[in-house]
Amino acid sequence: HLFTTDMNKATTESTYTPQVTATPTCTPTPAYDFFEGMHSNKAILIDAENGDVIQSLEADVQAYPASVTKMMTTIVALENIENYSGQYVMPQSIYDYLFTTDLSTAGFERNETVTYEDLLYGTMLRSGAECCLGLAYSVGGSEEGFVQMMNDKAVELGMVNTHFVNCTGEHNPDHYSSVHDM
């Protein structure tokens, strides 16, 4: 590069060294807290397309699943009922048991004839304990038999922090899951 030191003097050849500045870097944006303002101490957000965990909070800690249990009740029933239009008569024994609990019901009556579709909707939409028990008795032969099917399904799905003892979500110290498993 040519430059002059004085307008009247000869030019001198020199090399020009540009001043090097650091490449600008972006200031990282803090990760968005999807759980801000949430009142739960356990949560998980999963990308539905690829299964990646986006954010979690105590996701693998065991907790009592309560009515979330009914998701597994529904899955096991759906996989084992051949005819959703088939009919089931609600036995008195379900109502004798429910009389001693504080579980929610969907409103079906003892000895009422209902379809399996009605029992499934009653489980999913109304959190009906009588519907869960009706499905359990019909599909598993008993609640205990159905719960074994639920636990087998949990193992099949890789649910490592889950153990069921009932199909309704009734509180029991041995009945637990985690938000990651669910």
Side-chain angles (χ1 to χ4, degrees):
H1 183 80
L2 295 175
F3 72 94
T4 59
T5 57
D6 186 341
M7 293 290 204
N8 296 327
K9 298 204 178 190
T11 60
T12 310
E13 212 170 300
S14 173
T15 59
Y16 171 73
T17 309
Q19 184 176 1
V20 178
T21 58
T23 305
T25 58
C26 296
T27 304
T29 305
Y32 184 77
D33 183 3
F34 291 99
F35 303 143
E36 183 179 344
M38 184 178 67
H39 297 288
S40 179
N41 59 358
K42 295 170 185 60
I44 193 164
L45 181 62
I46 299 174
D47 185 319
E49 290 185 18
N50 60 25
D52 290 345
V53 174
I54 297 169
Q55 187 176 350
S56 67
L57 176 66
E58 303 273 340
D60 291 310
V61 174
Q62 292 175 349
Y64 302 117
S67 284
V68 177
T69 300
K70 293 174 176 105
M71 289 174 27
M72 183 64 84
T73 299
T74 301
I75 290 169
V76 170
L78 284 168
E79 290 181 348
N80 289 281
I81 294 172
E82 292 180 21
N83 178 8
Y84 301 131
S85 298
Q87 296 186 339
Y88 180 75
V89 177
M90 300 297 288
Q92 177 68 41
S93 59
I94 288 176
Y95 298 91
D96 292 342
Y97 171 72
L98 290 177
F99 182 75
T100 66
T101 70
D102 191 29
L103 298 173
S104 63
T105 63
F108 294 113
E109 300 291 330
R110 62 186 55 77
N111 299 317
E112 182 177 353
T113 301
V114 296
T115 66
Y116 290 109
E117 181 178 28
D118 290 336
L119 291 177
L120 289 163
Y121 278 114
T123 298
M124 294 182 288
L125 300 177
R126 299 287 307 205
S127 198
E130 83 275 28
C131 300
C132 297
L133 291 166
L135 291 168
Y137 293 177
S138 179
V139 172
S142 66
E143 185 176 18
E144 295 78 19
F146 189 80
V147 167
Q148 183 59 54
M149 295 169 74
M150 292 170 66
N151 285 315
D152 291 346
K153 184 66 177 181
V155 169
E156 177 188 327
L157 293 172
M159 299 170 76
V160 297
N161 291 307
T162 298
H163 181 257
F164 297 108
V165 296
N166 61 65
C167 64
T168 61
E170 182 177 11
H171 181 75
N172 183 304
D174 294 326
H175 187 91
Y176 52 83
S177 191
S178 68
V179 295
H180 193 193
D181 278 2
M182 293 309 270

